[in-house]
Amino acid sequence: MSKSFNPILVVAGDPKSIFLEIFFKSIKFSKRPLILIVDKKILKQQMRILGFEFKLNEILEQNIYKIKHNIRTINFIDVPLMNTNDTREYIEECFNISLKILKQNKNLPIINGPINKEKFLKNRYLGITEYLGSKTNKLKDVVMLIYNKKLSVSPLTTHLPLKDVHKNISKSKIINHVKKIDFFLDKHHKKKPNIAITGLNPHCESNYKKSEEKNIIIPTINYLKSKKFNISGPFPADTIFLKNNYKKFDVIIGMYHDQVLTPIKSIFGFNAINITLGLPFIRISPDHGPNVKMFGKNISNPDSLREAIKFLNLQ
C-alpha cells in the first residue's frame, strides 16, 4: 500500500457543529483518502441542508482499505446517534472506533472535528488533548502545539482556570514541552528550531518571594541551554509577539492557554492547526470550536481544516 493511499481518519465530532460544512468544503484538498466517522443520517441531512452532493461509500472498521479516493465520494463509517439530547456516548464511540483502527493500522493520522468540551468531558479531562493522552496512556507526555510554518505556539497548561496555572508550572513539564516540540519541528523544518519561552507574571516580575520566573522558568531555561537546545527567555508576553520579536523564533511556549493562543489567532487567523504531540499517532484538529451559532448557515471558514489536510498530505 503506497503511503499516499494511507487514509486519514476523521472524527466528525459534535453533531451540531460547523465541522461537516467545512469538511464538505475541504475534501478536494486531500491527496489522501479520508474516512469520516459519523452518523449516516446526520451526514445525509447536512449534505441536503447545505446543498452539497457527494456519493457515499460506507465501509466497516475491519476493512478500512475498501475506500474510494475521488473528490466526489465520501468514505464513512456509520456510528448511529442514539440519543440526540446526550451526544457523549456517540462521540465516545466515534473515538473508540478510531482508536481501535489506529492500534491495528500503524502510522495513520487522525483529525477530529470541534467538540463541546463541557458536555463531552464533563469534568473528566481538561480537553481532548488530555482525553486522548489518557486513552493512550500518554497523559503525562502530551503537548498542545498550535502549528503554523511561520510561527507555532504552545501553552504549558491548557484549559486550566488562571488561578490554578501557577500550581502546574514545573521544570519537568517545561523540559517535556521543549523536547517534544524540538523533535517535531526539527523533523518537519529540517533544522533545530529557535524556541522562546514567556514568563508567567507581567514583565516577568513578581513582588512575591516565590517568583515562578526565578524559581522555575529561568533555572530550567539554563538547564536546557546546557543541553544544546536553542532556547531563550523568559520574555514578557506583552512584547514577545511584536513583529520584530516573534520573527526571530520558530515557536513560542507560553505558561497558559490565552497567553499564546490569543496573539497567534490575531496574527494568522485560521491558518493554524492544533497538533497533539506525544501520542502514538498524529492527531490534528482545526483551531476553533463547534460554533453552534453558525450551524447550518454555510458561511463558515474552512481554512484551518484545509491547513490540517495539507499538512497531512506531506506526511
Side-chain angles (χ1 to χ4, degrees), residues 271-289:
N271 291 321
I273 54 177
N274 181 356
I275 304 178
T276 303
L277 309 182
L279 295 172
F281 46 81
I282 296 177
R283 174 259 173 170
I284 298 178
S285 68
D287 191 25
H288 55 73

Side-chain angles (χ1 to χ4, degrees), residues 19-36:
F19 184 73
L20 285 178
E21 174 193 332
I22 63 174
F23 178 81
F24 298 150
K25 294 175 178 178
S26 303
I27 290 174
K28 63 183 178 182
F29 291 91
S30 185
K31 296 177 181 177
R32 298 170 62 171
L34 302 170
I35 299 177
L36 187 63

Side-chain angles (χ1 to χ4, degrees), residues 13-278:
D14 255 293
K16 287 191 175 181
S17 86
I18 60 168
F19 184 73
L20 285 178
E21 174 193 332
I22 63 174
F23 178 81
F24 298 150
K25 294 175 178 178
S26 303
I27 290 174
K28 63 183 178 182
F29 291 91
S30 185
K31 296 177 181 177
R32 298 170 62 171
L34 302 170
I35 299 177
L36 187 63
I37 302 174
V38 68
D39 179 291
K40 182 178 181 179
K41 291 180 180 177
I42 293 173
L43 176 59
K44 288 176 133 183
Q45 181 185 58
Q46 284 299 292
M47 282 173 52
R48 185 180 69 253
I49 291 172
L50 297 169
F52 289 91
E53 291 185 13
F54 294 97
K55 293 180 181 179
L56 299 181
N57 179 39
E58 184 172 355
I59 60 176
L60 300 175
E61 60 184 275
Q62 301 89 341
N63 292 307
I64 63 164
Y65 287 99
K66 287 194 172 181
I67 44 183
K68 298 176 182 178
H69 184 34
N70 62 73
I71 62 172
R72 300 311 311 164
T73 300
I74 295 177
N75 303 290
F76 75 99
I77 296 172
D78 183 27
V79 182
L81 172 60
M82 306 306 292
N83 183 354
T84 55
N85 294 319
D86 186 359
T87 59
R88 178 174 165 178
E89 284 188 15
Y90 164 70
I91 296 172
E92 190 93 51
E93 182 62 13
C94 289
F95 273 120
N96 286 340
I97 288 171
S98 66
L99 290 169
K100 192 185 301 182
I101 294 170
L102 290 165
K103 193 172 183 180
Q104 295 168 350
N105 300 269
K106 304 297 183 184
N107 300 319
L108 296 187
I110 179 173
I111 296 173
N112 69 266
I115 289 163
N116 185 314
K117 298 177 184 66
E118 183 179 353
K119 290 182 179 179
F120 175 60
L121 300 174
K122 292 186 177 178
N123 301 317
R124 295 182 297 161
Y125 305 98
L126 293 174
I128 303 302
T129 300
E130 291 78 13
Y131 168 75
L132 290 174
S134 178
K135 297 281 276 188
T136 55
N137 297 315
K138 297 287 185 180
L139 184 56
K140 292 183 179 180
D141 296 326
V142 290
V143 169
M144 176 192 288
L145 181 72
I146 308 302
Y147 175 81
N148 179 284
K149 61 185 178 182
K150 293 182 179 179
L151 176 71
S152 300
V153 300
S154 179
L156 192 71
T157 60
T158 54
H159 298 97
L160 275 177
L162 281 176
K163 64 184 178 65
D164 294 329
V165 168
H166 72 99
K167 304 172 192 173
N168 288 272
I169 295 172
S170 67
K171 180 178 180 180
S172 61
K173 198 160 190 174
I174 295 172
I175 291 171
N176 177 63
H177 251 64
V178 170
K179 285 183 174 180
K180 291 285 191 308
I181 292 168
D182 180 85
F183 177 82
F184 175 82
L185 292 179
D186 188 13
K187 179 180 178 182
H188 293 284
H189 285 197
K190 307 301 180 187
K191 68 169 186 174
K192 293 287 286 182
N194 288 319
I195 300 173
I197 292 187
T198 72
L200 172 64
N201 297 293
H203 311 297
C204 296
E205 298 171 349
S206 173
N207 292 325
Y208 296 96
K209 291 182 180 179
K210 290 185 177 181
S211 161
E212 290 78 11
E213 285 79 12
K214 289 181 181 178
N215 292 354
I216 301 171
I217 301 172
I218 293 173
T220 307
I221 290 172
N222 291 335
Y223 168 81
L224 288 165
K225 282 182 177 178
S226 74
K227 298 299 180 181
K228 308 304 181 185
F229 289 94
N230 297 333
I231 189 164
S232 305
F235 295 98
D238 64 345
T239 55
I240 187 60
F241 286 96
L242 294 175
K243 194 172 185 179
N244 289 336
N245 290 338
Y246 79 72
K247 282 193 169 184
K248 300 172 186 175
F249 301 101
D250 300 297
V251 61
I252 298 172
I253 298 174
M255 295 298 110
Y256 57 92
H257 185 278
D258 288 9
Q259 191 182 42
V260 288
L261 268 75
T262 300
I264 198 171
K265 288 183 180 181
S266 299
I267 296 168
F268 296 115
F270 289 114
N271 291 321
I273 54 177
N274 181 356
I275 304 178
T276 303
L277 309 182

